């Protein structure tokens, strides 16, 4: 089918007649600027001045210009790897964009993100993204935030035809549809995902039609006509602003260049096809239409092109003159400054509550203190969570702030991160911590890196929390201990309370933190008894270990549920005349190595115990840090205890054998003491 015939099959969009001739001329100028930006970026890439990669949107300029013109300044966009056009059209500073492509300190991301991560929060540009489809998940959260904040804003998540085959497309559409969130899903169907033709990998009639399954209005339009794009986005935005929820727009278009500037791929499209699509150049089409109606003449068009050229050359000159970023500056942008300062902790007092009640109390108090705290997760609202951690919160704070979600970990976590970027403080429940594997992109690629990659600007105040660990026979997919996964990722904090006092103080700190916190609870501790916890709100500064018990002969570093077992072992060992000092790090990241090392320098021996599988566990990190800092004080090698190299078994006896026991800990201590 020829292009003209293809474009004829698309929805005709009745003109809303809201775009004046001047608007359209301005749009033409913007499209010329975008094209010139891409052309020069490619030249600079080939010359080695822009490194890494960048993705040209030449041929797709009508979408950026048309869609963003339908938005107001308060409205937000999220874009993808091919996002220069959207970003320019939403009002980003072109100088800073060019500087970012060159990796300069004054670039939008301080040279830390590059082309695929440009964001300008002041212009409500919430970021391009290197992960295909991610902007849809984040978009749900940004839309939730503006809805809860009552700003009246709406947003667009731009994505490609390839991204329409990611699970997040469906999860995000479902979530925005049931919550009627003000988000427009804008699919730029340029007919290829890298080298693969969309029709080869996309089932169903059209991408637009997929929204029918969610009862979401959808349109398939000519993406090379900025007026059509503008009008359909304007209608979708009006609908979203009226509280009617999302719309899916599929705009057919074509990218003229290769997938990326570095791609250099074997040929996968014919010259005929490429030439054919160049025949429907969105810029020339608009130019000719405006010339036909007398809105511009040749001289006017040339002047627009000249202005675009000058803008881009000025940006290149400016960017070239900027400094390179330095390592110290980069390191300082990984996390936000601490919000809870180290201070004496309040005495426990006389009032005793359980671990679960302690966490629940922190939720109550923080939600009362700060309206931006919202709880989202499966079954957290109507029944208060399957383990009862969120009981009573819906009655107190309402369904808007305590939200039951679909079983949709990708969308739940993406929504949380998007909301955090827009100023909320979401607490995301992971029903059983193992399901975090379905949230990894949001946590590891988005939450952990957003501040750094976006130049140290955004805060990401979000808590991902849930129960990990074995002990109640739920088997291998419900019982893992996964702290090491997250401790390994710069940008994340990892908290792991072992008792009610710490659970309340650390949950309060986690909610107040401006950084993403992975908050690990434990199913066995949910079953534990009461212990004294102050009634008033208090926060424990992360990175401060607790000396659970003082001793002289050996230091045992124990995590979460292992702390209690270490105490049992210590009592037995005392009878044998071995005095054990127990240290509970309380937070795995930041990790208080100073307290651990000081203890080992006193006792000269160390055993590290965690429930997680020993190989690759955090115990290895702690043991090697002890070795580095206290080698001369050690009288024996540091011992590590963890689970054996197998998934958590279901059988009762086997599960008990899998988890390190007080006997195991006592045995390891004897070994380092007697060198048996
Ligand atoms: C999750 C993920 N998978 C794969 C990639 C590698 N990749 C980057 S862009 C791209 C093609 C995306 O196609 P589409 O969504 O249609 O966007 P387009 O490049 O056509 O604009 C691929 C496979 C990635 N960045 N992220
Ligand atoms: Mg594509």
């Amino acid at each position: 089918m020829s292009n003209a015939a293809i474009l004829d099959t698309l929805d005709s969009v009745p003109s809303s007649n809201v775009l004046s001739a001047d608007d359209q001329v301005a749009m033409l100028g913007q499209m010329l600027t975008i094209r010139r930006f891409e052309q020069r970026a490619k030249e600079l890439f080939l010359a080695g001045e822009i490194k890494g990669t960048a993705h040209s949107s030449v041929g797709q300029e009508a979408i950026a210009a048309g869609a963003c013109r339908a938005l107001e300044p308060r409205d937000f966009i999220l874009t993808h790897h091919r996002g220069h056009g959207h970003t320019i059209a939403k009002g980003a500073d072109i100088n800073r964009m060019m500087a970012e492509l060159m990796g300069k300190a004054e670039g939008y991301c301080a040279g830390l993100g590059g082309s695929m991560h440009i964001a300008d929060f002041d212009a409500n540009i919430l970021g391009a993204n290197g992960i295909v489809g991610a902007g849809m998940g984040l978009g749900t959260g940004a839309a939730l935030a503006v809805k809860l904040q009552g700003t009246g804003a709406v947003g667009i998540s731009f994505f490609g035809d390839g991204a329409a085959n990611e699970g997040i497309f469906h999860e995000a559409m479902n979530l925005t549809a049931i919550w009627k969130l003000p988000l427009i899903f804008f699919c730029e169907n340029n007919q290829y995902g890298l080298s693969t033709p969309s029709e080869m990998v996309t089932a169903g009639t059209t991408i637009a039609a997929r929204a029918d399954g969610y009862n979401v209005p959808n349109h398939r339009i000519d993406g090379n006509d900025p007026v059509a794009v503008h009008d359909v986005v304007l209608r979708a935005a009006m609908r979203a602003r009226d509280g009617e929820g999302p719309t899916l727009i599929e705009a057919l278009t074509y990218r003229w260049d290769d997938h990326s500037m570095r791609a250099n791929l074997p040929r996968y499209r014919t010259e005929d096809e490429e030439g054919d699509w160049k025949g429907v150049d969105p810029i020339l089409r608009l130019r000719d239409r405006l010339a036909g109606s007398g809105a511009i003449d040749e001289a006017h068009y040339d002047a627009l092109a000249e202005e675009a050229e000058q803008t881009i050359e000025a940006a290149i000159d400016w960017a070239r003159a900027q400094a390179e970023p330095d390592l110290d500056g980069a390191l300082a942008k990984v996390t936000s400054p601490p919000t809870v300062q180290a201070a004496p902790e309040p005495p426990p007092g006389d009032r005793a509550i359980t671990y679960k009640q302690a966490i629940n109390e922190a939720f109550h108090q923080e939600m009362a203190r700060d309206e931006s705290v919202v709880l989202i997760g499966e079954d957290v609202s109507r029944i208060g969570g399957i383990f009862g951690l969120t009981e009573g919160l819906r009655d107190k704070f309402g369904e808007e702030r305590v939200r039951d979600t679909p079983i949709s970990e990708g969308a739940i976590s993406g929504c949380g991160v998007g909301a955090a970027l827009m100023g909320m403080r979401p607490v995301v429940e992971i029903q059983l911590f193992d399901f975090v594997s379905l949230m990894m992109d949001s946590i590891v690629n988005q939450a952990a890196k957003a501040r750094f990659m976006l130049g140290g600007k955004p805060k990401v105040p979000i808590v991902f929390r849930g129960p990990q660990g074995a002990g109640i026979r739920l088997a291998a997919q419900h019982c893992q201990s996964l702290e090491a996964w997250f401790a390994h990722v710069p940008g994340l904090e990892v908290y792991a309370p072992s008792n009610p006092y710490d659970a309340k103080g650390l949950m309060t700190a986690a909610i107040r933190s401006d950084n993403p916190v992975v908050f690990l609870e434990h199913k066995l501790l949910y079953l534990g008894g009461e212990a004294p916890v102050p009634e008033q709100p208090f926060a424990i500064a992360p990175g401060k270990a607790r000396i659970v018990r003082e001793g002289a002969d050996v230091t045992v570093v124990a995590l979460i549920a292992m702390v209690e077992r270490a105490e049992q072992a210590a009592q037995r060992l005392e009878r044998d005349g071995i005095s054990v000092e127990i240290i509970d790090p309380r937070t795995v990241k930041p990790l208080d190595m100073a307290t651990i090392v000081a203890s080992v320098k006193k006792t000269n021996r160390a055993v590290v115990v965690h429930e997680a599988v020993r190989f690759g566990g955090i115990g290895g990190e702690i043991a090697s840090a002890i070795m580095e800092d206290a080698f001369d004080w050690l009288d024996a090698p540091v011992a590590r205890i963890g689970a054996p190299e197998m998934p958590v078994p279901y059988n009762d006896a086997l599960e008990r054998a899998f988890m390190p026991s007080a006997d195991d800990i006592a045995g390891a201590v004897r070994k380092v003491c007697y060198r048996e």
Side-chain angles (χ1 to χ4, degrees):
M1 218 192 297
S2 74
N3 298 321
I6 293 171
L7 295 176
D8 276 349
T9 65
L10 306 177
D11 291 1
S12 68
V13 179
S15 170
S16 56
N17 292 325
V18 288
L19 279 178
S20 66
D22 283 351
D23 281 331
Q24 296 190 41
V25 172
M27 224 157 49
L28 182 61
Q30 200 165 61
M31 289 163 68
L32 284 161
T33 306
I34 294 168
R35 180 161 299 180
R36 194 67 197 145
F37 184 94
E38 302 291 31
Q39 288 169 337
R40 290 294 281 130
K42 187 172 167 186
E43 285 168 16
L44 293 166
F45 179 83
L46 294 174
E49 235 180 301
I50 291 174
K51 302 186 168 59
T53 194
H55 302 79
S56 161
S57 66
V58 169
Q60 305 183 196
E61 299 91 343
I63 290 171
C68 291
R69 189 154 294 263
L71 298 181
E72 300 175 9
R74 63 181 165 165
D75 297 334
F76 65 85
I77 63 163
L78 285 135
T79 174
H80 55 133
H81 54 286
R82 202 175 301 289
H84 301 154
H86 312 133
T87 311
I88 290 173
K90 186 70 172 73
D93 175 28
I94 293 176
N95 291 358
R96 295 192 62 200
M97 284 182 64
M98 192 59 86
E100 186 54 39
L101 265 61
M102 292 186 190
K104 296 297 184 72
E106 285 302 314
Y108 264 119
C109 315
L112 304 175
S115 157
M116 279 188 283
H117 303 288
I118 291 171
D120 181 348
F121 278 69
D122 296 334
N124 287 313
I125 300 165
L126 308 187
N129 216 298
I131 304 295
V132 167
M136 288 181 270
L138 302 179
T140 64
L144 175 63
V146 296
K147 185 177 179 202
L148 293 176
Q149 292 158 352
T151 67
V154 304
I156 301 180
S157 287
F158 290 103
F159 58 99
D161 46 285
N165 290 325
E166 291 281 4
I168 193 67
F169 167 88
H170 296 277
E171 291 195 26
M173 193 159 309
N174 184 51
L175 193 72
T176 48
I178 56 165
W179 287 354
K180 291 197 182 315
L181 299 179
L183 185 67
I184 299 165
F185 291 76
F186 199 118
C187 177
E188 290 184 280
N189 184 351
N190 61 14
Q191 306 172 57
Y192 288 84
L194 227 151
S195 72
T196 307
S198 179
E199 64 198 13
M200 219 176 94
V201 290
T202 310
T205 49
T206 64
I207 290 168
R210 292 180 173 188
D212 288 338
Y214 301 97
N215 211 9
V216 166
N218 53 84
H219 309 277
R220 193 158 190 265
I221 60 164
D222 177 351
N224 282 8
D225 177 356
V227 177
V229 170
H230 171 272
D231 289 355
V232 81
V233 170
L234 190 69
R235 279 192 281 144
M238 283 161 59
R239 189 173 181 277
R241 254 187 258 286
D242 284 346
E244 298 291 317
T247 298
L248 170 62
I249 299 166
E250 177 188 358
L252 206 66
T253 185
Y254 199 81
R255 71 169 147 74
W256 288 15
D257 286 310
D258 210 337
H259 166 70
S260 93
M261 293 187 189
R262 74 176 309 123
N264 203 12
L265 302 169
R267 208 164 182 88
Y268 53 88
R269 308 188 300 198
T270 65
E271 274 175 32
D272 278 356
E273 182 184 289
E274 289 176 2
D276 204 21
W277 277 97
K278 285 181 184 169
V280 276
D281 178 348
I283 292 182
L284 297 188
R285 277 169 108 201
L286 182 61
R287 181 198 67 179
D288 293 348
R289 203 189 304 163
L290 289 171
S293 67
I296 58 167
D297 57 17
E298 205 178 321
H300 193 165
Y301 177 79
D302 290 346
L304 289 174
E306 176 61 25
E307 194 185 329
E309 168 126 22
Q310 279 175 17
T311 302
I312 301 306
E313 292 314 308
I316 293 169
D317 290 346
W318 187 86
R320 281 181 174 145
Q322 303 309 309
E324 301 282 335
D326 60 40
L327 189 60
D328 285 347
L331 284 167
K333 292 181 175 64
V334 179
T335 49
S336 294
T339 46
V340 178
Q341 309 304 330
E345 288 162 22
D350 303 328
R351 197 273 312 244
I353 54 175
T354 65
Y355 188 88
K356 282 187 352 182
Q357 287 168 333
I359 291 173
N360 184 266
E361 188 166 277
F363 292 150
H364 273 278
Q365 292 178 345
E366 289 309 293
M367 290 190 80
R369 193 183 67 85
D370 183 347
E371 274 198 346
S372 65
V373 180
V374 290
L375 303 186
I376 57 178
E378 294 155 18
D379 310 291
V380 298
S381 185
R382 287 171 61 242
I383 65 161
I386 62 166
F387 292 101
L389 276 281
T390 52
E391 259 169 25
L393 291 155
R394 171 182 179 247
D395 292 347
K396 189 104 174 267
F397 300 103
E399 278 183 349
E400 286 290 289
R401 291 180 66 197
V402 186
R403 307 183 78 94
D404 278 334
T405 65
I407 304 163
S408 201
E409 281 75 11
I412 301 168
S413 54
C415 178
V417 179
L421 291 172
M422 286 294 271
M424 304 301 289
R425 289 188 177 272
V427 178
V428 172
E429 173 162 313
I430 306 166
Q431 197 159 59
L432 286 138
F433 203 76
D434 309 62
F435 312 152
V436 78
S437 56
L438 295 162
M439 298 185 170
M440 287 307 262
D441 181 56
S442 304
I443 301 177
V444 170
N445 287 326
Q446 309 300 332
K449 296 177 174 63
R451 183 175 173 82
F452 180 79
M453 285 197 313
L454 306 184
K457 202 152 182 196
K459 295 175 182 170
V460 197
I462 181 166
V463 182
F464 297 98
R465 57 152 288 270
Q468 69 165 11
I472 59 169
R473 294 191 62 185
L474 295 181
Q477 294 169 338
H478 286 53
C479 292
Q480 294 161 90
S481 292
L482 298 173
E483 63 274 354
W485 286 9
F486 301 98
H488 194 60
V489 178
L492 297 179
E493 298 181 4
V494 183
Y495 299 3
S498 69
N499 60 72
Y501 180 98
D502 290 353
K504 177 171 175 187
L506 286 174
M507 181 54 81
T508 304
I511 294 172
R512 294 183 189 177
S513 174
D514 285 336
N515 295 308
V517 177
V518 174
F519 194 95
L520 302 167
E521 300 156 18
H522 199 290
K523 299 176 200 83
L524 287 182
L525 298 177
Y526 285 170
L527 305 174
E530 295 177 341
V533 178
E535 278 175 67
Q536 81 273 18
F538 72 101
I540 295 173
K544 188 77 199 99
R546 187 167 62 97
I547 300 175
V548 178
R549 169 195 175 106
E550 295 203 13
D553 298 327
V554 57
T555 300
V556 173
V557 181
L559 281 181
I560 328 183
M562 292 297 116
V563 174
E564 200 180 325
R565 294 179 183 203
E567 287 184 82
Q568 291 160 4
Q571 283 160 16
R572 285 179 216 165
L573 290 160
E574 198 169 22
R575 287 179 227 130
D576 299 346
I578 297 175
S579 163
V580 179
E581 177 144 307
I582 300 174
I583 297 187
D584 173 1
R586 306 202 285 185
T587 60
V588 177
K589 200 162 188 188
L591 180 64
D592 182 4
M593 275 312 298
T595 298
I596 295 170
V597 167
S599 171
V600 174
K601 285 183 177 175
K602 183 178 82 173
T603 63
N604 312 113
R605 293 177 179 85
V607 173
V608 186
V609 52
H610 52 61
E611 181 183 325
V613 171
R614 195 178 106 115
F615 185 88
I618 196 71
E621 179 65 33
I622 295 173
S624 85
I626 293 172
M627 233 87 87
E628 278 174 351
D629 292 346
F631 182 75
D632 289 337
W633 282 263
L634 284 172
D635 289 342
V638 180
R640 286 180 294 144
I641 311 176
E645 187 67 21
M646 67 174 175
V648 184
Y650 167 68
N651 173 275
D652 215 0
L654 286 181
E655 189 193 47
R656 272 199 297 278
F658 173 88
M659 296 174 78
S661 64
D663 277 349
D664 294 334
I665 299 169
V669 166
R670 287 201 183 89
K671 213 165 176 174
V672 296
C673 287
Y674 303 139
R675 309 289 307 278
E676 285 165 343

